[in-house]
Amino acid sequence: METESTNLKDVAEPDPVVSTTAGTGQKQGNEREPEKNTRHTAPRLVERKTELRGQAIAPSWKAPALIRKRTEQDLKESNAEIPYYKAEKANRDLFCSLIERQDRMIEELFLVITDLKYRMEDIEEGRR
């Protein structure tokens, strides 16, 4: 007949949160006792140095003209996300219609000014 060992040192200490107790008072072999003569000092302040200070994040090797040219090429492709030719035509139509409206309004204002001029001349001749 074999007997089982009832040595309690082999049993792990229960978790205080799960068992709702502060523990059994047993210490495991891998725990260290806290050092009693520790000196608490304020952390030493250091300046962080990096090589990226003052540098732009984007690569500077591309000129704006090259970027613009590439963007225009992308827009003029047949399967572009933005249908460039349709958008260009719509913008041109809108711009032309605004200019035509402005021309009509200017022409109407000139007609009103000319009419007022004739009326003023008629009033002045009637006074004489």
Side-chain angles (χ1 to χ4, degrees):
M1 178 175 188
E2 292 182 299
T3 59
E4 293 182 12
S5 172
T6 57
N7 187 358
L8 295 179
K9 290 183 180 178
D10 296 333
V11 177
E13 184 175 349
D15 188 17
V17 176
V18 175
S19 65
T20 65
T21 61
T24 60
Q26 299 176 356
K27 290 186 180 178
Q28 294 181 2
N30 59 359
E31 292 182 12
R32 290 188 295 162
E33 291 190 22
E35 297 178 11
K36 295 179 182 176
N37 294 334
T38 57
R39 255 175 84 182
H40 296 287
T41 58
R44 187 175 51 138
L45 297 176
V46 296
E47 182 180 350
R48 181 179 177 192
K49 294 183 180 181
T50 63
E51 296 297 323
L52 298 177
R53 288 192 180 183
Q55 300 293 322
I57 294 174
S60 60
W61 55 270
K62 285 190 175 182
L66 294 174
I67 295 171
R68 174 62 62 102
K69 185 178 178 182
R70 180 65 184 155
T71 303
E72 288 176 357
Q73 288 175 351
D74 289 344
L75 287 175
K76 290 180 180 179
E77 288 182 6
S78 62
N79 60 352
E81 291 180 14
I82 300 172
Y84 177 75
Y85 292 110
K86 290 180 182 178
E88 183 181 22
K89 184 179 182 297
N91 288 335
R92 188 182 320 110
D93 290 343
L94 175 66
F95 188 74
C96 289
S97 66
L98 290 174
I99 290 176
E100 290 169 0
R101 183 174 185 272
Q102 183 180 10
D103 289 343
R104 285 193 309 270
M105 295 302 293
I106 289 172
E107 186 177 339
E108 287 181 25
L109 286 174
F110 279 134
L111 290 175
V112 170
I113 290 172
T114 304
D115 184 51
L116 288 175
K117 179 181 172 188
Y118 289 141
R119 286 185 186 185
M120 289 293 293
E121 289 175 357
D122 289 343
I123 292 173
E124 288 177 355
E125 283 181 19
R127 285 186 133 189
R128 293 185 194 154

